[in-house]
Amino acid sequence: MHKESVLKRAREGNVKFIRLQFTDILGVLKSISITMDQLEKALDGELMFDGSSIEGFVRIEESDMYLRPDPNTFLILPWTSRNSPSRTARLICDIYDSHGDPFVGCPRYALKRVLNEAAEAGYTMQVGPEPEFFMFHVDEEGAPTLETNDKASYFDLPPVDKGEEARLDMVETLQSMGFEIEASHHEMAPGQHEIDFKYMDALTTADNIVTFRIVVRTVAQQHGLHATFMPKPIYGIAGSGMHMHISLFKDGENVFYDPGQEDGLSDACHYFIAGILEHARAIAAITNPTVNSYKRLVPGYEAPVYIAWSHRNRSPLVRIPARRGLGTRIEVRNPDPSCNPYLGLAVLLKAGLDGIKQKKRPPAPVEQNIYEMDLAARKQHHIDSLPENLYEAVNELTQDTLVQAALGPHIYPKFVKAKMKEWEQYSSQVYDWEIQEYLEKF
């Protein structure tokens, strides 16, 4: 879309307010609202904001920054017109510095940089995410509780699945915004749900993920519920993941597919897998970026713990779905929905491209259930583990120059600083488990 198309759609849609959206380095969505009479100025990239107030951006003496909306992201928010004839739209923005250059601390720009590297080699990246989330009741004051709104499990139907009405409203809202929804269903844990939307190019997919999260939370609120993308809100049940289905295309052909190979996978696909496996421990700091993320990455709940790949089973980090031809892809299973999708896709692509460039070969696929292997068997198959906690993951990131390069010289140190602060705050707290375990014992 072009500037004129956006202005026309906004006028015809009776838009009064426009939310200019972007994420900080942690993936938290931010927004500045403008009125319709400022839209043309915004589309010309003339609106400034204070970047010093945003996590991981700039110091106060470097605070003047520009928002440049991407016209292709223009959407009229369907829930904003219910009680008013005027409507609200949104535009996702790129951040520019005061000199008019792309801001290296903008997560969207970080992804664009790596996508440009892929484009120079002739590749485009296609991604289909599988985001999961929980819905909980709220208390009398509207604060979220940990009381799930059902006791259903995988693929259950109403009346056991009491969240279906809210989930279907989410699907209809997403469809009205242009999403092509492929499936929605109840997940394994009580109160847990999944909505899958069709794969798109990587930048559009990252934009769609941040949009998806705000739609899900808004619609849940309309049903008197709280939706959360926290990876592991409740001990003892499955956590929420966001598996990423990834493929590369060149000249309209899926370069991961080779009908001449026994498994239907090309050399490029094997190289890409090898790149991801080699850098998986550092990548985890980005795709699993919270203290809570590692409460999900434990054996017993189908979440990947071990760095391996497979054609069939779901215990390794990377799985190859059965479809071949245009739909040939890899499924990276460790990302969770708390990650910044721009940064998550940037580091996965950077690692995969390096595997292709260096023609790295992955280890042999592991077709047996790794959870049932003992340590000796895992060592025999050269199977390493993902980091056990955020501190370990960030430490891996500080030693991996390739993943650092994907983030860039601004985001990398800011991200590490933020995550080490998070770990230190977590480590210094005293938790209920410790009181129960030690108060009377010692």
Side-chain angles (χ1 to χ4, degrees), residues 17 66 75 366 399 406 418 422 438:
F17 298 100
Y66 289 93
L75 282 174
V366 180
Q399 301 175 57
E422 179 180 336
Y438 303 130

Side-chain angles (χ1 to χ4, degrees), residues 430-442:
V430 178
Y431 299 96
D432 290 345
W433 182 91
E434 297 170 87
I435 300 298
Q436 295 168 7
E437 186 74 10
Y438 303 130
L439 188 62
E440 296 183 12
K441 184 182 296 185
F442 298 107

Side-chain angles (χ1 to χ4, degrees), residues 8-80:
K8 181 181 178 182
R9 286 185 59 188
R11 285 191 294 265
E12 291 176 349
N14 198 29
V15 170
K16 185 175 182 180
F17 298 100
I18 300 93
R19 294 176 184 169
L20 304 180
Q21 298 178 342
F22 58 97
T23 72
D24 64 16
I25 66 169
L26 304 182
V28 177
L29 189 64
K30 305 294 183 179
S31 177
I32 296 174
S33 290
I34 61 172
T35 56
M36 181 64 189
D37 58 4
Q38 294 293 306
L39 178 57
E40 186 169 5
K41 182 179 178 181
L43 291 168
D44 289 334
E46 297 177 3
L47 287 186
M48 301 189 75
F49 75 104
D50 179 5
S52 66
S53 302
I54 305 300
E55 178 72 54
F57 273 23
V58 293
R59 298 170 297 179
I60 193 166
E61 62 268 27
E62 305 165 331
S63 60
D64 289 340
M65 314 202 79
Y66 289 93
L67 291 171
R68 292 197 178 177
D70 182 343
N72 292 314
T73 66
F74 178 82
L75 282 174
I76 296 177
L77 303 177
W79 59 83
T80 60

Side-chain angles (χ1 to χ4, degrees), residues 351-365:
L353 289 176
D354 185 65
I356 292 175
K357 182 179 179 180
Q358 305 296 333
K359 295 186 176 180
K360 297 175 180 175
R361 285 287 178 183

Side-chain angles (χ1 to χ4, degrees), residues 238-373:
S240 291
M242 186 169 65
H243 303 163
M244 296 289 194
H245 292 252
I246 298 172
S247 56
L248 290 186
F249 280 72
K250 190 172 189 176
D251 299 325
E253 299 291 329
N254 188 331
V255 300
F256 282 1
Y257 177 55
D258 184 349
Q261 298 296 325
E262 183 178 353
D263 62 0
L265 302 180
S266 67
D267 286 341
C269 184
H270 287 109
Y271 300 153
F272 196 94
I273 293 169
I276 288 179
L277 296 183
E278 180 178 336
H279 298 277
R281 287 177 59 82
I283 287 172
I286 309 301
T287 57
N288 307 91
T290 70
V291 164
N292 184 253
S293 296
Y294 297 86
K295 307 295 178 70
R296 165 184 167 252
L297 298 178
V298 294
Y301 299 98
E302 293 191 6
V305 178
Y306 302 111
I307 301 172
W309 71 288
S310 170
H311 292 97
R312 290 185 293 275
N313 85 75
R314 297 172 184 268
S315 59
L317 179 73
V318 175
R319 184 180 75 93
I320 310 300
R323 187 179 174 188
R324 292 295 180 266
L326 193 67
T328 305
R329 62 195 187 275
I330 69 171
E331 179 188 14
V332 185
R333 297 176 55 81
N334 67 307
D336 69 54
S338 70
C339 84
N340 185 325
Y342 301 107
L343 300 183
L345 294 181
V347 297
L348 287 168
L349 177 58
K350 184 79 171 180
L353 289 176
D354 185 65
I356 292 175
K357 182 179 179 180
Q358 305 296 333
K359 295 186 176 180
K360 297 175 180 175
R361 285 287 178 183
V366 180
E367 305 302 349
Q368 59 266 51
N369 189 338
I370 304 177
Y371 295 136
E372 296 178 355
M373 291 182 176

Side-chain angles (χ1 to χ4, degrees), residues 126-180:
Q126 303 290 316
V127 183
E130 294 181 340
E132 298 170 344
F133 57 93
F134 280 87
M135 287 195 289
F136 294 116
H137 286 298
V138 296
D139 63 20
E140 296 80 4
E141 297 179 354
T145 70
L146 288 179
E147 182 185 351
T148 60
N149 71 319
D150 64 48
K151 302 298 180 185
S153 187
Y154 207 57
F155 289 166
D156 276 346
L157 297 169
V160 179
D161 175 10
K162 296 180 180 179
E164 186 188 53
E165 184 178 349
R167 192 175 67 243
L168 294 181
D169 272 0
M170 293 168 187
V171 169
E172 290 180 354
T173 302
L174 290 163
Q175 287 176 322
S176 74
M177 299 170 73
F179 281 68
E180 183 174 340

